[in-house]
Every structure is written in structure tokens, then in C-alpha cells.
Amino acid sequence: MSDVRYPFTAIVGMADLRLGLLLNAVSPAVGGVLVRGEKGTAKSTMVRALAGLLPSIATVDGCRFACDPAGPDPQCPDGAHDGRASSRRPAELVELPVGVSEDRIVGSLDLERALSEGVKAYEPGLLARAHRGVLYIDEVNLLQDHVVDLLLDAAAMGRSYVEREGVSVRHAARFLLVGTMNPEEGELRPQLLDRFGLTVEIAATREPVERAEVVRRRLSYDADPAAFAARFATEERALAERITAARELLPSVELTDAALRRITAVCAAFEVDGLRADIVMARTAVALAAWAGRTEVLAEDVRKAAQLALPHRRRRNPFDAPGLDEEQLDRILEEPEPEPEEPQQPQEPEEDPDPEGGPEGDGPEGDGPQDGGPDGGGGGAPEPSGQDGPDGPPAEATDAPSQDDAPAPQPVPLQPPSPTRETAPVAAGDPYRTRLFAVDGTGRGAQGRRSPAETDSGHTIRARRPRGRLARLHLSATLRAAAPHQLARGRSSRALLLHKDDFREQVRQGRESNLVLFVVDASGSMAARQRMTAVKGAVLSLLMDAYQRRDKIGMITFRGAGAELALPPTSSVEVGAARLESLPTGGRTPLAAGLLRAYEVLRVERLRDPDRRPLLVVVTDGRATGARDAVAQSHRAAGLLAGQGVASVVLDCESGPVRLGLARTLADRLRATAVTLDELRADGVASLVRDSRGERRPAVSASASASASSSASASRKAA
């Protein structure tokens, strides 16, 4: 890879992304930008190119935390900076890898000096390097939760707090936060999403001429990066000078009361949560005016600020796509500016010369002829539309047949769809909070919020000898292991004498994310509209639960002649919700085909990601058709999955007064937990736990709410 950055001015199109990045360069207080778009759209290229345009910064010589000599951090770990020399250097672009460790972000104890010299020394992390620069996170939506927590703290307070291994350090960490993501791979946590000041949606152009120019420039850059950058050097310098000029003009821009009222009116009309959107819009509008070379914020600045600052704050639930209604925005901005209210003076009540009404028949409850009298049509309630008045039927009803001539309407019985005919998709019911289903045992998968696992974060439960490369040193356990041998090793100074066998690593327990694979029965036996609405609502609720627990999901549907992988395993729960919404129903019930397809998908995913444990959710009434021994085939397929130790849940969708119990039988073959639609809700867990106590379900555990757990614990103590 070449060290020469791709020029910012050489990028074709993407005007909104270009503007969003430049506004943050002019005013870092805007709060950064989140770039959402499909893969291969030069998101990372443009962000990296921005670093070359940022004005240089003055720093104190020898300070590892980029302190400004004009206003150094009084709590800087490198001490007081009074009288120390300073120099200028380019603003730094720090890239945060997706798999970065906690120590690398906030810094940690310098173990080499601690163990060899016996002193406590702090080694700064990436947040210290990013101070007064750009912190860039590619694929920000794939960050682990404990990393997101650290970023939230730093972004909220502008400081990094390090309390670990006996080190207590605080230092400034104010940076321009830029993140890129592909929405197909999952969404951001709402807390981190709100920390981005602006958001920009990008997609590759569909114009052949523009696409050809993009390819032409990229090939030219790859052939000779230096020569390609030289072609755009003049434009790059001009853009950098414009950024500097806009920064100097920024303090002179006036945000009038009228412009501020427009901003708050827009935020109130779009019902965004909190007041951060108002503040970000105000800062963005000021930056837009400075970028245009003006000293006053105009209505066009407010409109553009809303387009950049509000879309990602409009989401009402995890499955809503970010967006902004442009027509509604125009209506709000076109409304006349409200006049400031003046305090009203108390007035004496005017005397009514005729309290009983005037000659027109005005009374206390009337206001003229329209409320009473023959000219006003009053004297009673208006005739309902479609009924005969005093002069006969309404004009529009004179040609209609009379009720005596029309045939009496006959009730239409609600018939279930034919099991061989496909029916149109029905909408899902409202989602609700579901029970927590967790895989038994302790895993080692990616961090999440579902099943117990050994993770990089969480609480330390013990120490052990390292397995391979030492990742997380358990300092106290290491010292305890080395202490008895110091005399025998001839220690004569403050430094400890350590051998390789002395080192111990931490074992931390947290929670992991799982692969939740849904196998959904879409056959004719499930196609009754009210029933399928409830089933889709249940699956949608489980999808929302998977979103909140950072799981990957997949979906298999079976109907007609076979099973289909409707959604390959992905982190994008939104795609799963969309596929569920458009799911048609009808046809036979090839249950065995659905289970066998699940077995094959899980086998392939186990090879791709052996540490991610699966959770199989089978949504069915247990019926199986299509062959003479269809039920037996489904039971054999269930036994195949059970033999692989796959944790499973069967969502029993059977309804009606007569129940065959086929789903329960299938759950026994899968060694799975079986729950009905009513039992899936979290508010019905307490009684279910009491009823099912003593059942042996080794593959999957169903956790109740905290109140139910505490109640069960109290009952056991009482017994």
C-alpha cells in the first residue's frame, strides 16, 4: 500500500459526504460524522483523505498527549508544561481496529518498566494519540460492547479515565469521531449512534459516465500514486486554505433568534429525543454559514443542517431505517416566523349590554344565525349522512335500490386457506419483550449479551497459566507465583526476577453473542391470518431480542415442496425483519426438509466460526405432510440435530380447543425447550418457571426476569 493518500478533491460525487466531513473540519464541535453505505463506495478513502486537509496543530514538545501550549491540560500525566518549547505538526488520524483491546484504547501499565525497574509507568493508548485529531473507526457497527462503552465515556466527557493495575490517570481526549459502516451487517447501539453529530447515506452512482471516471482515476492512482496526487495538489491547497479561512470566520457568525427558533421548531416537529439534536443543528448551521463565507445563518443553512443532523435521530425502534421527510421539513421551514409573545396586561371585563342575546337570536350558547333559527339550519344535530331527512332521502341516494329490494347480507364464514394455495403476506403483530433463551455451559464466542462465556471484558473469576500468547496479565497472581522463588534466584535489587512459568493470565466471565437460526413453518396449516399475525409478531419479538443481545441471525422457511434459506446468517436484524414481513404462506408442510436445511447451515457456520455457539428456534405447530412417513422423517431429522448438541427452542404455534401435542413431541426429539406463544412473553415467566421446575433441558436454558429469579431463590431458602 502506498504512503501517498488519495487526494480528497479527486473523489468523484458524494457531495453530502464531502460536505459533512468538511463541516467537521471547520467546526469539530459539530461532533463527527457517521457514514452509512454499501461496500465499495470509497467511504474509508474519503475519510483518510480528509486528514491531509486539516490545519496543523501546536503541541508542547515531549508531551505524549498533544497538549496545546496556549492552554495545556492541568491534569496531563506528563506534568506541568510551563515554559516548555512547542512546535507544530499535522493533526493525527488514528484508526481504531474493530478487534482492538481495551488496553490499547485507554492505555495501561507499562509492564516492562514495572517488572524490570519496579516503578509504575503509564503507557498511553489510542485515545491519547487521537486528542485534537481524528479518531476513525471503520465498520464501527461491529465494535464489541466494552469498546463502545469506553468511546461513549470519552466522547461524552472529553477526557479518558484510566483506573487499572494500580494506575490512576486522567487526560484530555477530544477528537473528531468519524465512523463508517455497512447497514447490512447490523446497526449501532442507540447511545453511540446519538454521539455522532451528522450522518450521511451514500451509494454508488448508477451513471455509467461517473462510474467510468471513478475507475479511471483509481487505476491512475494505483499506477503512480505520487504523480496522481501531484495532479490535484493545487486543488488540495485551495481547499485546505478555505478550511482555515472558515475556521477563522466561525467565531464571527451570528445565530439570530429567528434562526434558532427555526431550528428548535424543526426538532420539535420531528419529535427527536432530548436536546442534543437542537445543539448539533445550531453548530452545523453556523459551520455552514462560515463555509459559505457568511456571518449570518440563513434558512438554507437550517435546512441543510436538518438533513445532516436529524435522520439518525428519527428512529423509533431498532427496525426503523434512518430518514427524514423532506416535504415535512419544507412545510415547517415555510411556516411564517412566529412573533415573540409580549406580556399581556390585565384588562377589565367589558359589560355585555344584552346578556340574553340580541335581535339575531344570539344567546350564551349561540353565535349568530348559524347556531339557531331556520336560516342557520340549527335547532338540533345535523342529519347523519345517508339517512332520510324531513323532505325525503338525500339526493345522492335517490337512485339506489331501497332496502326492501336489496338482498339481505349473508354472513361470510372465515375459512382457513387451502393448504395447497399460497396466500399473500400478512403483517406481523406488535413486538413485545420475550424471555431470555441462553445456551447452557460456558462459551468462548464474540462478546454479546446472551449466553455465559469467557470474554475479554467482564469480571475476573480466576487466574491460570497462559494458553499460548499471554493476552491479559493477572498481575497479583503473577507476583504471588514469583515471590517464593526470589531468594533462590538471587534477587539483589528492587526488580523482580521472573521466569516464564511465573506468568498468569486473567480468566474473565461475561456473555457472548450467539447465532440464532430461525426455522419458520410457512405452510398452509399456519396460514390463518390471525394466527400468522401472532406468529410473525412472536418471531419479530425474538428478532428484536437478538438485536439487543448483539446476535447473528439466520432464517429458514419451509412450505410447499421444500425449505429455503430466506436469510443467510448475518448481523443485520433489520434485513431479517423485512424478510419476515414479506413472507408468504401456503402449501404443504415439509418439516423434515426445514430441519435438515438447518443442520446443513449450522454445519457450515461451525466451520466458519467455531467459537460462536448456535441457538435453533423452530416455529411450528408440529404438523408434517408431503410424504406417508413425514412425521417420522421430521423426528429423525430432529434426532440428527440433537445428536450434534444443538441448543434448541420449539415455539409451539398450535391453537384451538383440540391440540395434538405434535410440537411438544418434536421438542422432546430435539431435546429442546418448548414454549407456546403465550409463554414466550417475559411477563408470564414467573409462573412458567414454577411449573417447569424439575424438567431436564440440557441444551438450552430459559431465564426469567430478575424478580422471578429472586422469588424462586426466596422460596428455596424458605424450604
Side-chain angles (χ1 to χ4, degrees):
M1 176 181 288
S2 173
D3 294 333
V4 180
R5 288 195 180 102
Y6 195 95
F8 190 88
T9 54
I11 296 175
V12 179
M14 293 191 289
D16 282 346
L17 175 55
R18 184 192 307 268
L19 180 61
L21 292 173
L22 291 174
L23 291 177
N24 277 276
V26 171
S27 175
V30 167
V33 59
L34 174 66
V35 188
R36 298 166 49 93
E38 56 194 18
K39 51 187 176 293
T41 49
K43 301 186 297 292
S44 302
T45 300
M46 182 170 278
V47 174
R48 295 186 179 106
L50 176 70
L53 300 174
L54 297 178
S56 60
I57 60 174
T59 61
V60 176
D61 289 346
C63 178
R64 298 172 296 168
F65 301 88
C67 278
D68 187 352
D73 180 11
Q75 294 181 320
C76 179
D78 282 352
H81 298 320
D82 296 338
R84 292 175 63 173
S86 63
S87 58
R88 299 192 70 85
R89 65 168 177 81
E92 191 158 4
L93 172 69
V94 177
E95 297 194 34
L96 194 75
V98 171
V100 67
S101 66
E102 186 175 342
D103 293 345
R104 190 71 187 96
I105 296 176
V106 300
S108 62
L109 179 68
D110 190 335
L111 294 177
E112 182 177 354
R113 294 188 61 191
L115 297 178
S116 62
E117 302 175 19
V119 298
K120 289 194 298 184
Y122 172 67
E123 183 178 359
L126 294 178
L127 292 182
R129 279 184 54 199
H131 179 48
R132 303 176 64 201
V134 179
L135 182 65
Y136 170 50
I137 311 171
D138 192 15
E139 307 294 351
V140 62
N141 52 324
L142 302 183
L143 282 179
Q144 297 182 1
D145 279 348
H146 71 287
V147 175
V148 172
D149 294 338
L150 296 174
L151 291 177
L152 286 173
D153 290 341
M157 297 180 290
R159 304 191 68 82
S160 177
Y161 293 80
V162 185
E163 302 285 348
R164 55 191 310 122
E165 286 107 15
V167 175
S168 179
V169 173
R170 300 181 182 185
H171 65 82
R174 292 184 297 274
F175 44 80
L176 174 59
L177 182 62
V178 181
T180 57
M181 59 174 284
N182 183 354
E184 293 179 357
E185 297 173 341
E187 282 291 345
L188 276 179
R189 282 173 55 183
Q191 297 90 338
L192 182 58
L193 183 66
D194 192 48
R195 285 294 169 185
F196 285 97
L198 311 179
T199 185
V200 178
E201 294 274 351
I202 62 172
T205 177
R206 298 297 184 258
E207 292 293 332
V209 176
E210 279 194 18
R211 295 173 75 97
E213 183 62 21
V214 171
V215 175
R216 186 180 297 112
R217 292 189 179 188
R218 184 68 205 192
L219 294 177
S220 179
Y221 169 79
D222 292 340
D224 191 345
F228 182 81
R231 285 172 47 192
F232 295 89
T234 302
E235 298 176 32
E236 291 283 294
R237 282 194 299 270
L239 189 58
E241 292 171 359
R242 185 178 176 186
I243 292 174
T244 303
R247 278 193 173 190
E248 295 173 354
L249 182 62
L250 190 68
S252 303
V253 177
E254 180 186 5
L255 179 65
T256 62
D257 288 343
L260 182 56
R261 283 195 294 271
R262 285 185 181 275
I263 290 172
T264 55
V266 169
C267 293
F270 281 106
E271 300 180 345
V272 295
D273 295 332
L275 294 173
R276 184 174 287 119
D278 305 63
I279 297 172
V280 171
M281 270 192 65
R283 291 171 175 168
T284 305
V286 170
L288 280 163
W291 180 247
R294 290 185 268 100
T295 57
E296 183 179 353
V297 174
L298 303 181
E300 62 193 63
D301 300 324
V302 175
R303 187 180 194 281
K304 193 62 184 178
Q307 292 174 337
L308 294 172
L310 294 187
H312 61 301
R313 294 183 168 90
R314 286 276 297 140
R315 298 181 63 192
R316 313 314 298 175
N317 67 62
F319 303 135
D320 288 342
L324 198 67
D325 188 341
E326 300 281 348
E327 294 183 359
Q328 182 182 358
L329 176 61
D330 290 336
R331 287 196 301 270
I332 298 169
L333 294 177
E334 289 171 1
E335 290 178 357
E337 180 68 25
E339 296 292 335
E341 295 183 2
E342 297 181 359
Q344 297 181 355
Q345 299 295 331
Q347 298 179 355
E348 294 293 333
E350 296 183 1
E351 196 172 313
D352 189 355
D354 189 4
E356 298 299 329
E360 295 290 338
D362 299 348
E365 299 178 1
D367 195 21
Q370 66 272 20
D371 290 323
D375 296 332
E383 292 291 339
S385 175
Q387 294 185 3
D388 293 349
D391 297 326
E396 63 269 20
T398 54
D399 295 333
S402 66
Q403 292 185 0
D404 295 336
D405 298 333
Q410 298 296 325
V412 179
L414 181 62
Q415 297 290 342
S418 170
T420 59
R421 186 175 66 247
E422 180 176 308
T423 60
V426 298
D430 294 333
Y432 47 83
R433 190 167 65 90
T434 67
R435 298 167 55 185
L436 167 61
F437 296 100
V439 181
D440 279 348
T442 302
R444 301 184 63 181
Q447 279 196 317
R449 302 175 185 173
R450 184 172 296 277
S451 304
E454 292 183 11
T455 59
D456 292 334
S457 64
H459 62 283
T460 301
I461 57 175
R462 67 178 188 275
R464 69 182 178 199
R465 295 181 184 273
R467 298 177 179 176
R469 181 178 176 273
L470 178 63
R472 300 178 299 273
L473 178 71
H474 197 300
L475 185 58
S476 60
T478 299
L479 297 179
R480 286 196 301 269
H485 308 291
Q486 295 304 298
L487 185 60
R489 293 172 183 173
R491 175 185 173 187
S492 59
S493 64
R494 295 178 60 188
L496 288 173
L497 298 178
L498 296 175
H499 288 178
K500 185 177 181 179
D501 292 340
D502 297 332
F503 289 100
R504 299 291 184 271
E505 69 177 2
Q506 299 176 13
V507 178
R508 298 178 180 179
Q509 186 169 21
R511 289 193 173 272
E512 66 177 358
S513 64
N514 298 108
L515 168 60
V516 182
L517 181 62
F518 293 90
V519 180
V520 182
D521 184 352
S523 65
S525 64
M526 299 280 288
R529 287 189 172 271
Q530 291 184 350
R531 184 181 182 189
M532 200 60 193
T533 296
V535 170
K536 283 190 175 183
V539 178
L540 188 65
S541 303
L542 290 169
L543 283 172
M544 184 175 293
D545 181 70
Y547 167 83
Q548 294 169 344
R549 302 191 188 281
R550 317 300 291 175
D551 293 319
K552 289 182 68 175
I553 66 159
M555 185 180 299
I556 294 171
T557 62
F558 60 92
R559 65 185 183 90
E564 175 189 3
L565 181 59
L567 179 66
T570 177
S571 297
S572 180
V573 181
E574 293 80 3
V575 178
R579 299 285 171 86
L580 178 69
E581 193 71 21
S582 60
L583 179 65
T585 56
R588 298 185 181 276
T589 313
L591 176 57
L595 297 176
L596 291 175
R597 189 63 184 272
Y599 175 84
E600 182 61 24
V601 170
L602 294 179
R603 184 187 67 81
V604 173
E605 288 300 313
R606 191 178 294 114
L607 297 175
R608 291 177 177 172
D609 189 356
D611 289 335
R612 188 183 293 272
R613 298 187 293 168
L615 175 62
L616 182 67
V617 179
V618 183
V619 184
T620 181
D621 57 6
R623 299 171 186 267
T625 60
R628 180 173 300 178
D629 58 344
V631 174
Q633 289 181 12
S634 64
H635 289 173
R636 287 194 293 270
L640 191 63
L641 288 163
Q644 295 296 316
V646 177
S648 304
V649 176
V650 174
L651 185 57
D652 184 359
C653 302
E654 192 174 21
S655 61
V658 179
R659 297 175 180 263
L660 302 178
L662 296 175
R664 296 278 175 171
T665 304
L666 178 66
D668 291 337
R669 298 301 180 108
L670 281 169
R671 301 176 192 170
T673 299
V675 295
T676 64
L677 293 176
D678 293 335
E679 294 169 345
L680 183 64
R681 293 179 179 270
D683 51 14
V685 171
S687 60
L688 180 65
V689 170
R690 290 193 295 268
D691 294 341
S692 62
R693 188 177 298 161
E695 290 187 6
R696 184 175 180 273
R697 300 295 186 192
V700 61
S701 61
S703 301
S705 61
S707 60
S709 299
S710 60
S711 300
S713 176
S715 300
R716 286 194 295 270
K717 289 181 180 179

